[in-house]
Amino acid sequence: MAKLLEGKPVAEKIKEAIRLSVQNLKQAPVLASILVGNNLGAASYVSSQEKTAASLGIAYRLYKLNDNITENVLIDLINKLNADKTVNGIIVQTPLGPQMDYRKISEVISAQKDAEGMHPLNMGHVIFGNNRAATCTASAVMELLNSTGIDLCGKETVVVGSSEIVGKPLALLLLERLATVTICHIGTSKAGKLKEHVRKADLLISAVGQAGIINGEWIKKGAIVVDVGINRANGKIVGDVGFQAAEKRASYITPVPGGVGPLTVVILMRNLVEAAKLQQ
Ligand code: NAD
């Protein structure tokens, strides 16, 4: 039976380090958060960000906008926050409406205030091996893996999902650790090859957003399984991986909820505090 790879104990250690950094800053750091519309998932992420910020001595300023605003209204607000010297970091919650281009919005946020790590300049830093502002979820997965103490060098690693916020930056962070990385995505499934790749993985990370897309029986014996997916199925929150079968085969597996999620929000705060240090 696999050991559970839980996010909370790792998150608590990182929180201790963040508290110390906050104490050493001249002023409490300020995170500006922009929420457009009433998406339930985004609203629940905002409330968890508010609680985490409060527990760390970080000021959280929430800006709520109607979901029918134009892209220019959002861009104007971001530009004001970019220019506001009292604001250290900015996050725009997703999803955004169809009238918004998230890539464009990610570029408007100043790279120095980019708490999420989505600005192309910060993405570029990750390619150069500077991970200070890597995306929160990708960094959260790496922190979980670090907590196992397992050497990733040469590990047959399969990342399922190639989004800009999770799969792509995560693959780069894993490469930096000399893992042998395969990235699977919708095309892999269309070609009928997902199972074949998953079966080879000593380290499997899934970030798709479809309950049960990874059959637990496909997991290689002794593999490490990190499930980033958050899905609703039969009134419950579940990941992408069929947990019951997978936990019998894996050596480590993340629970969903309780794995990557609790860490992501803490890394957001760490990115903010690092940005504040550079600014102050
Ligand atoms: P996304 O929709 O941007 O990307 C999904 C990826 O999955 C794409 O690369 C796509 O090609 C791939 N995909 C889609 N269908 C597939 C299939 N049939 N076979 C193989 N690959 C397929 O999603 P995202 O924003 O990267 O989020 C992915 C999941 O991770 C979601 O469930 C999201 O809620 C979750 N998430 C969790 C956290 C956390 O902190 N735990 C943070 C961010 C995202």
Side-chain angles (χ1 to χ4, degrees):
M1 202 63 103
K3 281 188 203 155
L4 275 188
L5 203 44
E6 288 179 296
K8 224 171 165 189
V10 186
E12 284 308 320
K13 279 195 190 150
I14 298 173
K15 276 170 122 179
E16 278 311 307
I18 297 176
R19 278 193 195 101
L20 276 180
S21 298
V22 169
Q23 280 165 15
N24 289 329
L25 287 170
K26 286 186 210 130
Q27 278 127 22
V30 175
L31 178 61
S33 161
I34 306 176
L35 177 63
V36 184
N38 299 310
N39 180 274
L40 276 183
S44 122
Y45 192 34
V46 161
S47 105
S48 123
Q49 288 168 16
E50 272 178 320
K51 277 190 210 131
T52 309
S55 75
L56 293 168
I58 291 168
Y60 190 85
R61 288 189 201 157
L62 181 60
Y63 297 81
K64 284 186 174 178
L65 300 176
N66 287 331
D67 54 4
N68 58 2
I69 55 147
T70 62
E71 193 176 65
N72 281 340
V73 170
L74 176 58
I75 289 175
D76 284 348
L77 174 58
I78 296 172
N79 280 329
K80 275 194 199 114
L81 296 170
N82 281 340
D84 183 340
K85 291 208 164 65
T86 68
V87 170
N88 303 105
I90 302 168
I91 176 170
V92 176
Q93 310 294 337
T94 53
L96 289 172
Q99 76 277 28
M100 310 275 187
D101 176 351
Y102 185 60
R103 282 186 175 163
K104 185 168 163 191
I105 300 299
S106 300
E107 280 195 68
V108 176
I109 296 173
S110 141
Q112 285 72 36
K113 295 191 178 184
D114 167 33
E116 266 213 300
M118 286 298 290
H119 191 285
L121 191 72
N122 291 322
M123 292 274 180
H125 283 313
V126 174
I127 290 188
F128 279 9
N130 172 0
N131 307 331
R132 187 191 58 74
T135 69
C136 303
T137 316
S139 298
V141 172
M142 294 309 291
E143 290 291 350
L144 268 182
L145 294 174
N146 290 344
S147 75
T148 66
I150 291 169
D151 184 7
L152 302 181
C153 179
K155 270 236 174 307
E156 206 59 62
T157 300
V158 174
V159 178
V160 188
S162 58
S163 69
E164 282 151 19
I165 197 156
V166 193
K168 282 183 194 169
L170 180 57
L172 291 170
L173 296 177
L174 290 161
L175 267 183
E176 198 61 34
R177 301 284 292 278
L178 300 182
T180 305
V181 185
T182 302
I183 309 177
C184 297
H185 40 73
I186 184 79
T188 318
S189 281
K190 280 190 176 160
K193 297 206 164 166
L194 186 61
K195 176 177 172 184
E196 179 185 314
H197 286 288
V198 169
R199 289 188 91 130
K200 283 190 315 200
D202 294 316
L203 168 57
L204 174 78
I205 299 151
S206 185
V208 174
Q210 281 180 43
I213 184 151
I214 310 287
N215 184 329
E217 302 289 346
W218 299 351
I219 303 299
K220 186 173 172 181
K221 283 252 172 205
I224 304 165
V225 177
V226 178
D227 194 344
V228 182
I230 303 175
N231 312 292
R232 236 169 246 282
N234 305 323
K236 282 199 326 197
I237 300 285
V238 298
D240 293 344
V241 181
F243 186 86
Q244 277 188 333
E247 76 168 335
K248 293 196 182 99
R249 306 178 65 82
S251 56
Y252 286 91
I253 189 166
T254 52
V256 179
V260 181
L263 266 170
T264 303
V265 63
V266 172
I267 305 285
L268 174 71
M269 301 304 156
R270 185 172 73 183
N271 283 356
L272 166 80
V273 171
E274 289 305 310
K277 270 189 205 168
L278 290 176
Q279 291 159 27
Q280 289 188 8

